[in-house]
Amino acid sequence: MRSFVVLGLIIFTASACAGEDPKRSAGQLALLDFSNSLIAVESQIVDCKKQKKVLPYDKINALKLSKVALKSAIAYHYFNSDYLCNKQAVSEFLLASAVLAQMTPDTPQTPKFKEGLKGGDALVSSILVQVLKAKVDYLEIPEQDRMALAEITELSAPFDLFEAVDALNL
């Protein structure tokens, strides 16, 4: 899903910038910066997927957390590690998108384009939304258990959520 939205926005922004004369307006430069930041987000997502670690399930099981606590912990650490891995590229994209939105008179921002821009912003910022929602449940876990989980450094790196859910019988 993300790839289709990203690909569509890239094609649109590339076509909007293609064939323009070498003298560019501020709006065209903003559009180009936006396009480059979009490509950087997609590239960072791919890089983060390549960085996935296998969790030490024996260490996690040894903590003897309840199923509810374990689900909350895995969800929080999954979303948080994904957010931290993508944070720089996402931040640059959101800034480029905000600048582009301010350059409205100088860019080809049709209603569909504006809708796509808002959708793209919502999509990339959803990473942080997921972190915050998961953190609410995570903070319900007793502090000593959260401290024990913090000792498992692999939880701070990207990992495969579905593999973790299967391995931990969640």
Side-chain angles (χ1 to χ4, degrees), residues 18-163:
E20 297 294 329
D21 87 41
K23 184 179 177 192
R24 296 198 177 191
S25 69
Q28 289 169 324
L29 292 174
L31 188 59
L32 185 60
D33 187 46
F34 170 79
S35 180
N36 289 335
S37 70
L38 189 58
I39 292 166
V41 167
E42 181 68 14
S43 176
Q44 187 60 43
I45 289 170
V46 170
D47 286 348
C48 290
K49 285 182 181 179
K50 290 178 183 175
Q51 295 176 28
K52 287 185 179 180
K53 305 284 184 207
V54 175
L55 296 178
Y57 301 113
D58 55 333
K59 285 183 185 178
I60 295 170
N61 283 325
L63 298 176
K64 305 228 185 275
L65 299 174
S66 70
K67 285 257 191 221
V68 171
L70 192 53
K71 284 180 184 179
S72 296
I74 292 301
Y76 169 72
H77 283 286
Y78 171 77
F79 291 124
N80 193 53
S81 65
D82 185 48
Y83 166 70
L84 293 175
C85 189
N86 292 295
K87 183 179 180 179
Q88 183 68 36
V90 166
S91 297
E92 290 174 16
F93 169 82
L94 290 172
L95 179 59
S97 180
V99 168
L100 183 59
Q102 290 181 16
M103 306 294 289
T104 301
D106 221 9
T107 59
Q109 292 195 21
T110 64
K112 278 190 172 188
F113 181 82
K114 288 179 183 179
E115 186 180 310
L117 196 60
K118 286 180 184 177
D121 291 353
L123 182 64
V124 296
S125 63
S126 69
I127 297 170
L128 183 54
V129 170
Q130 291 169 327
V131 170
L132 296 174
K133 287 180 177 180
K135 190 170 187 176
V136 169
D137 293 334
Y138 183 69
L139 292 174
E140 294 293 319
I141 298 171
E143 185 177 1
Q144 67 188 31
D145 291 337
R146 291 193 319 265
M147 290 175 63
L149 286 161
E151 297 285 322
I152 302 173
T153 58
E154 293 87 351
L155 285 170
S156 63
F159 60 89
D160 186 311
L161 179 62
F162 297 111
E163 178 183 304

